[in-house]
Amino acid sequence: MSQNNDKNGELENSPIKGIDRREFIKRTAAGAGAVAVGMVMGGCGTSSSAATASTVAAVVPSKSAWKFAVMNDTQWTQTDDGYNPDGTPVGIIAKLNQEFINKGVKFVVQTGDLTEKASSTGTTTATKTVNGTTTTYTYSNTAAEDMRALFAQTLYNAGIGFFPLRGNHDSAATTATEFQRAFPQAQNGQMNTTPADVLSLTNPDADLQPSPVKTGSAFTVGSNFSSPSSSVNNLKGLSYSFDYNNARFVLLDQFNTVDGFNADGTTAYAVGTTIAGQQSWIDTALAGKPSSGHAFVFSHKGMITEDHVDVLFGSDPSATNSPGLDAFITSLKNNNVGYHFCGHDHMYDRSLVATSDGTTAKVMQIVGASNSSKFYYPASPSNDVTYCSGKRQTLVKQELNTIGYCLVTVDGSHVTVEYYSAPAYPAPVNGGVIATTPTLTFTKRETFGYSLNGTQFVVAAGSAYTTVQDTSTAGSGTVAKVLAGSNGYTVTDPSGRFFSAVVTTGWYAANATASDILFLRGMSASLGSSQTDIFALSLTYDKTKVTDAQIQAGSFALAAPDDSGNWTNAVNKSTGGTKKFVLGAWKSSYPLGTYGVDTTSGTVWAVVNYNGYFAAVAGV
């Protein structure tokens, strides 16, 4: 066999399949619907090549993978239209519940603001208009909280758990007490045990939005529940942690306790100091996560956000006014917390948030999209620039004016987050509202993740991806390298800041492959598209797993799973380009669609424009 002879073996020379990007164009047109930032406007192919299907199963992800979902603020601030009672957007909640049922999640976490009018005692007078007829009704703060609890019943009926948090809109001490009663699962994981009076709550919209009827029996989700301790358990079931499978979940409540004191039971409660008072419990909870497992943290307010100035530790994210924030971020980093999920800002925003020096520790924060009637818009200049000299935050992705949720899949060492959304079309577009529940057709907008056995790389806009290099610890010692490509997205957010790509690697052990399986994610892509910047990727391979004949024929290559779950030549899944085989080393002049085997270095390589699973596979 000729070794590394750079001969072009053109086994195929045909266009590679393209994808329809009309949905992306529709969402970003006119600025009135979803505003997407963090995208690459690349060319697309328009026709498909006929690739011979492989019969080698990729077997990723594994059959033991499991899912949970994260939703956010559920507030209805407008006139009740007959579907959204007691300041609660039941029309949106009902559609999200169906999404979660269809996706087969084990449970749902909500990051606070369960309703609009539960932050103070007393009654609220609501206006209701249906078919031109206007009426009024009144409800209490506890009834508003109970309305949210009532419409979680749909999830329980489907065998799905629900773990809520409070927010600043359900911050009253009496709401805290009612939360403990209406959501007993926050103390013990017992689902479908909502109190009878909550299930029979008066529903002023029952004719158009009927209350769910309880079915089935109680069931338990999670184990090892704990809360910050004090002599009166004033945060029991408000801030809480639990385990599910190989992950620990820590949910943080920073609002009025049942007795007006912080976690120690003696210091007077204050919204800016209560989480700092819980830090020792947070440290213990995170340190005790399952062995070789994951940890996720949830709160209502974020560490730093785009519209709201107030944050988890104080009135703004500066070191002066959020004195406990650095210790919190350091704790999350030291305990390998995968993600910090929060709400409050009513927009989808993903970023790395750092300690005040910008370098000591960084954690990925995911601010969830609105599940409400109201939407916010990023400040300019940004809160990071105004309060932190631009040191705390590295932007990764952002989408405005949508209703959305995150679907999280845990597969052993690997975590994958899929963000789904639907355009809401608020008025005005820079911080507006909707008057009725829109038609919500949810589509996947982005996929990202991390792996405990992989590495994270932050690639600034305009910078090269060639820093992405990793060696597998999954068994074969496979080496992955990005040989070429750069983060081509140079558009800025509304405050003028650029977006970085957070690229992650992960590894599965070889399985009928000539290498371990690389899980590559995070290169820049348009929201709503799987197409990334064009890049060249190589993997080393085990030379005992392939024959000279397979190499010469071009049927041994860098491969990726096809839609049927079988391995296919990696370039078959690219958007655009022309498929061409090279027996020899990669060269910088090779365009999209070129793939090859370098027998001297023992690598397979390909020029592609998507992320996912990759391996060296014979017979493709």
Side-chain angles (χ1 to χ4, degrees):
M1 181 181 72
S2 175
Q3 297 290 308
N4 197 27
N5 61 3
D6 282 343
K7 181 179 69 176
N8 290 343
E10 298 182 12
L11 301 183
E12 293 188 59
N13 190 8
S14 57
I16 299 170
K17 67 179 181 180
I19 60 173
D20 186 355
R21 300 185 68 179
R22 289 177 293 177
E23 176 65 18
F24 166 73
I25 295 170
K26 179 181 73 175
R27 283 172 175 255
T28 55
V35 179
V37 287
M39 49 197 159
V40 176
M41 299 298 292
C44 296
T46 57
S47 61
S48 299
S49 62
T52 302
S54 165
T55 58
V56 181
V59 297
V60 284
S62 70
K63 292 182 179 180
S64 62
W66 55 277
K67 295 178 283 190
F68 69 94
V70 184
M71 63 181 296
N72 311 291
D73 310 58
T74 48
Q75 302 153 259
W76 193 257
T77 61
Q78 304 302 293
T79 297
D80 180 1
D81 58 355
Y83 295 92
N84 300 290
D86 291 8
T88 309
V90 175
I92 295 172
I93 291 168
K95 293 185 178 183
L96 287 171
N97 284 345
Q98 193 57 54
E99 283 285 302
F100 303 146
I101 293 169
N102 293 344
K103 292 292 190 294
V105 304
K106 300 298 184 182
F107 57 88
V108 177
V109 178
Q110 181 170 344
T111 61
D113 277 1
L114 305 182
T115 187
E116 171 68 10
K117 296 290 186 178
S119 60
S120 60
T121 57
T123 60
T124 297
T125 300
T127 301
K128 176 179 176 179
T129 301
V130 178
N131 296 326
T133 299
T134 299
T135 57
T136 60
Y137 61 88
T138 61
Y139 61 93
S140 67
N141 63 305
T142 55
E145 199 80 348
D146 289 348
M147 187 63 70
R148 180 65 188 95
L150 171 60
F151 279 89
Q153 186 62 45
T154 303
L155 296 176
Y156 309 145
N157 290 349
I160 296 171
F162 179 64
F163 291 108
L165 269 175
R166 292 188 303 153
N168 56 294
H169 281 268
D170 33 16
S171 60
T174 53
T175 305
T177 300
E178 185 62 12
F179 180 98
Q180 291 175 319
R181 191 181 77 91
F183 299 105
Q185 63 264 34
Q187 301 176 47
N188 55 27
Q190 284 285 306
M191 303 292 169
N192 209 17
T193 58
T194 305
D197 64 304
V198 174
L199 293 176
S200 61
L201 180 71
T202 298
N203 177 2
D205 291 348
D207 51 341
L208 296 177
Q209 190 72 273
S211 300
V213 176
K214 179 180 178 179
T215 62
S217 57
F219 60 96
T220 300
V221 177
S223 62
N224 298 326
F225 283 77
S226 75
S227 289
S229 62
S230 72
S231 58
V232 292
N233 285 319
N234 60 358
L235 280 165
K236 188 174 183 179
L238 299 175
S239 282
Y240 59 103
S241 72
F242 66 93
D243 293 343
Y244 186 88
N245 205 308
N246 62 330
R248 173 150 293 183
F249 296 78
V250 179
L251 288 77
L252 303 177
D253 187 312
Q254 73 180 106
F255 302 102
N256 286 295
T257 58
V258 297
D259 62 357
F261 293 99
N262 277 332
D264 59 9
T266 58
T267 306
Y269 164 82
V271 68
T273 62
T274 181
I275 298 299
Q278 299 176 45
Q279 188 63 58
S280 62
W281 171 76
I282 295 169
D283 292 342
T284 300
L286 294 177
K289 68 181 183 296
S291 178
S292 301
H294 304 275
F296 304 102
V297 174
F298 305 81
S299 63
H300 178 61
K301 294 184 181 182
M303 298 179 286
I304 183 171
T305 46
E306 305 307 327
D307 178 85
H308 285 85
V309 174
D310 54 313
V311 291
L312 186 59
F313 281 84
S315 58
D316 66 60
S318 67
T320 300
N321 292 324
S322 287
L325 183 52
D326 280 1
F328 177 73
I329 293 173
T330 301
S331 177
L332 267 58
K333 179 64 175 178
N334 289 345
N335 288 289
N336 295 316
V337 169
Y339 297 120
H340 173 219
F341 292 90
C342 58
H344 192 50
D345 224 30
H346 294 246
M347 68 181 77
Y348 179 71
D349 185 77
R350 185 160 65 93
S351 64
L352 289 172
V353 181
T355 47
S356 56
D357 61 5
T359 58
T360 299
K362 296 181 181 181
V363 176
M364 181 68 79
Q365 173 182 272
I366 303 169
V367 182
S370 179
N371 295 160
S372 302
S373 63
K374 60 182 178 180
F375 304 82
Y376 294 128
Y377 198 78
S380 183
S382 71
N383 290 332
D384 185 34
V385 169
T386 299
Y387 296 100
C388 308
S389 301
K391 293 181 179 180
R392 272 210 193 272
Q393 191 175 41
T394 301
L395 287 183
V396 181
K397 217 66 155 200
Q398 190 178 96
E399 186 176 57
L400 312 178
N401 299 332
T402 59
I403 293 170
Y405 66 91
C406 287
L407 180 69
V408 186
T409 300
V410 182
D411 183 19
S413 297
H414 313 282
V415 171
T416 300
V417 182
E418 297 168 295
Y419 164 57
Y420 288 81
S421 74
Y425 305 105
V429 297
N430 59 345
V433 298
I434 54 175
T436 60
T437 303
T439 300
L440 297 176
T441 302
F442 293 96
T443 59
K444 188 188 300 184
R445 304 298 284 152
E446 74 158 336
T447 301
F448 58 95
Y450 74 90
S451 299
L452 295 175
N453 64 357
T455 305
Q456 175 177 285
F457 306 85
V458 181
V459 181
S463 295
Y465 287 125
T466 51
T467 56
V468 179
Q469 300 185 14
D470 197 25
T471 300
S472 172
T473 58
S476 299
T478 302
V479 177
K481 291 183 179 181
V482 174
L483 305 174
S486 61
N487 180 359
Y489 183 61
T490 56
V491 176
T492 60
D493 85 324
S495 71
R497 294 179 296 168
F498 291 94
F499 292 83
S500 294
V502 176
V503 182
T504 60
T505 58
W507 297 94
Y508 290 79
N511 191 329
T513 58
S515 70
D516 288 336
I517 301 167
L518 170 69
F519 198 5
L520 179 67
R521 290 165 288 180
M523 290 185 178
S524 291
S526 303
L527 285 167
S529 171
S530 61
Q531 180 183 335
T532 68
D533 300 290
I534 297 171
F535 66 100
L537 174 67
S538 74
L539 290 182
T540 58
Y541 64 89
D542 182 345
K543 295 182 179 181
T544 68
K545 303 293 185 181
V546 62
T547 67
D548 288 350
Q550 288 172 319
I551 292 174
Q552 292 283 356
S555 63
F556 174 63
L558 186 70
D562 63 17
D563 293 341
S564 299
N566 295 321
W567 290 111
T568 187
N569 190 310
V571 300
N572 291 336
K573 294 187 62 179
S574 286
T575 301
T578 299
K579 185 176 182 180
K580 180 180 290 188
F581 173 65
V582 173
L583 182 56
W586 168 82
K587 292 182 178 180
S588 60
S589 60
Y590 290 149
L592 178 66
T594 312
Y595 72 101
V597 180
D598 181 353
T599 56
T600 299
S601 63
T603 59
V604 291
W605 55 266
V607 185
V608 295
N609 59 0
Y610 65 93
N611 287 176
Y613 303 100
F614 297 96
V617 181
V620 295

